[in-house]
């Protein structure tokens, strides 16, 4: 977050828009894992709840083998694209950084799924802390090299943090492909990744609309808004790494759906309280942008709107309840609702906006879409945790 804020301060919206455009491919490539880490993330805590350590190591060994193949393939493609297609130092750094970002994402997703005990959670916290300090120490690169320095920071931090995750990994097994485990894992994880992909991919729709209808500069102007979204996402993302495996562990141990609803309510209360405190920053934004980020004065209104979008997005963590229960039918309905809302409302608001308000109205459409999605999310979580019928098929 600190690095992003400094980058917004020193780099104009044109170049940041290019970087955001390059990252649009990331969630689409993540789908190519076919649910490998999603299945692993669900099965490991569930099997630990059943005290089946042997099966846990089998799953980890297989996933490690497949993840290595994904990572090497992605890295090779990134280097090839950089060499053959990129022109100039800016483009080359964008290509290679985006490629390494995605390659290490495969490793990070796999390893994060294996940090599931109290001791390993403590190690995971140390990894994130040390990696954050490392990234902050690289901040002078932005001052001296501008956008290129920003790309170098992201590149080095990505490699360093992944290296720490590998070093402290809690399940140290040899990589070994097991066909039966692979297909069993994919059978569990593919519905999860498909439905999670369907749910999360709408986050790219507004960016695509902005690129198509407006420009990369307009996309770059959303950088302060994206920083606000990222700030609100820090706590839910951190909690998800702890709450989801614990919910799954307890469900594997007790098979009690109502406890999932009780956990969801407590978590919602916590998120609401923290989110409401965060919304007070709406009074600081105009002053902060005008005095510290003058290149983004046009983005003040969309940054304010982004705060409310971010508030509702905090509750996305509750979607993990469906993964714990393998409630695929309900997941599909909820994900479809989010897709429809994100396709309809940003476009609808855009067409009713004047030329000078088009970017602002796209964000208003996203706000309406996210609110409706959260309402649907709570409704279906209540249903799936209170209904005695099975949703596993």
């Amino acid at each position: 977050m600190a690095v992003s804020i400094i980058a917004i301060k020193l780099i104009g919206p044109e170049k940041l828009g290019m970087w955001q455009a390059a990252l649009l491919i990331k969630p689409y490539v993540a789908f190519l894992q076919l649910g490998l880490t999603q299945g692993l993330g669900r099965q490991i805590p569930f099997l630990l709840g059943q005290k089946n350590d042997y099966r846990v190591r089998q799953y980890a060994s297989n996933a490690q083998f497949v993840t290595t193949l994904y990572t090497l393939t992605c890295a090779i493609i990134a280097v090839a694209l950089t060499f053959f297609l990129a022109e100039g130092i800016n483009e080359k750094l964008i290509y290679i950084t985006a490629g390494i970002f995605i390659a290490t994402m495969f490793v990070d997703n796999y390893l994060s799924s294996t940090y599931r005990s109290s001791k390993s959670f403590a190690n995971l916290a140390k990894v994130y802390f040390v990696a954050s300090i490392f990234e902050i120490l690289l901040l002078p690169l932005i001052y001296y090299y501008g956008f290129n320095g920003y790309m170098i920071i992201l590149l080095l931090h990505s490699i360093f943090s992944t290296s720490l995750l590998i070093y402290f990994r809690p399940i140290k097994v040899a990589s070994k492909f097991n066909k039966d485990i692979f297909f069993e894992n994919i059978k569990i994880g593919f519905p999860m990744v498909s439905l999670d992909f369907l749910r999360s991919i709408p986050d790219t729709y507004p960016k695509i609309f902005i690129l198509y209808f407006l420009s990369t500069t307009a996309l770059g102007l959303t950088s302060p808004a994206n920083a606000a979204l990222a700030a609100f996402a820090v706590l839910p993302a951190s909690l998800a790494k702890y709450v989801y495996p614990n919910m799954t562990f307890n469900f594997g141990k007790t098979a009690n759906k109502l406890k999932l609803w009780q956990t969801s309510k407590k978590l919602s209360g916590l998120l609401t309280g923290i989110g409401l405190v965060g919304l007070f920053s709406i009074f600081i934004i105009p002053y902060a942008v005008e005095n510290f980020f003058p290149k983004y004065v046009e983005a003040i209104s969309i940054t304010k709107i982004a705060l409310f979008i971010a508030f509702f997005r905090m509750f996305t963590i509750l979607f993990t309840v469906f993964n714990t229960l393998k409630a695929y039918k309900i997941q599909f309905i909820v994900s479809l609702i989010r897709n429809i809302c994100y396709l309809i409302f940003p476009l609808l608001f855009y067409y009713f906006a004047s030329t000078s308000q088009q970017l602002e109205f796209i964000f208003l459409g996203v706000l309406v879409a996210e609110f409706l999605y959260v309402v649907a999310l709570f409704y279906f979580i209540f249903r799936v945790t209170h209904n005695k019928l099975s949703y596993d098929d």
Side-chain angles (χ1 to χ4, degrees), residues 143-308:
Y143 283 98
Y144 289 110
Y145 301 105
F147 179 73
N148 292 341
Y150 181 46
M151 291 293 98
I152 293 170
I153 289 175
L154 295 178
L155 182 62
L156 292 178
H157 174 259
S158 181
I159 294 171
F160 181 72
S161 61
T162 299
S163 299
L164 287 178
L165 283 173
I166 293 172
Y167 182 79
F168 287 105
R169 66 191 187 278
I171 303 177
K172 296 183 179 181
V173 292
S175 300
K176 183 178 180 181
F177 183 74
N178 183 312
K179 184 180 68 174
D180 294 333
I181 293 290
F182 175 76
F183 284 109
E184 184 178 334
N185 197 18
I186 294 300
K187 182 180 178 182
I188 295 168
F190 185 72
M192 290 182 185
V193 73
S194 300
L195 294 166
D196 190 56
F197 178 79
L198 183 65
R199 178 194 60 80
S200 60
I201 207 63
D203 292 341
T204 67
Y205 296 167
K207 296 178 181 179
I208 293 172
F209 296 153
I210 292 168
L211 276 175
Y212 182 79
F213 293 113
L214 303 174
S215 64
T216 52
T217 300
L219 184 60
L221 282 172
T222 66
S223 296
N226 290 331
L229 291 170
F232 269 76
V234 168
L235 181 64
S238 302
L239 285 173
K241 291 184 181 296
Y242 181 80
V243 172
Y244 171 46
N246 273 275
M247 282 197 304
T248 308
F249 177 89
N250 290 325
F251 183 68
K253 192 175 181 180
T254 66
N256 190 331
K257 291 182 180 181
L258 286 177
K259 283 190 176 180
L260 295 177
W261 173 249
Q262 292 165 0
T263 302
S264 298
K265 286 197 300 181
K266 291 177 182 177
L267 192 56
S268 299
L270 175 64
L271 293 174
T272 300
I274 295 172
L276 289 175
V277 172
L279 285 177
F280 278 103
S281 58
I282 196 170
F283 301 109
I284 304 171
I285 284 174
Y287 173 82
V289 174
E290 289 172 1
N291 289 275
F292 297 101
F293 311 103
K295 297 176 182 178
Y296 297 85
V297 171
E298 297 175 62
I300 290 176
S301 59
I302 62 172
T303 306
K304 288 181 178 180
I305 297 169
L307 285 177
F308 291 95

Side-chain angles (χ1 to χ4, degrees), residues 37-51:
T37 54
Q38 283 80 2
L40 191 69
R42 196 272 176 188
Q43 286 299 94
I44 284 183
F46 187 82
L47 291 169
L48 286 174
Q50 296 182 331
K51 299 182 179 180

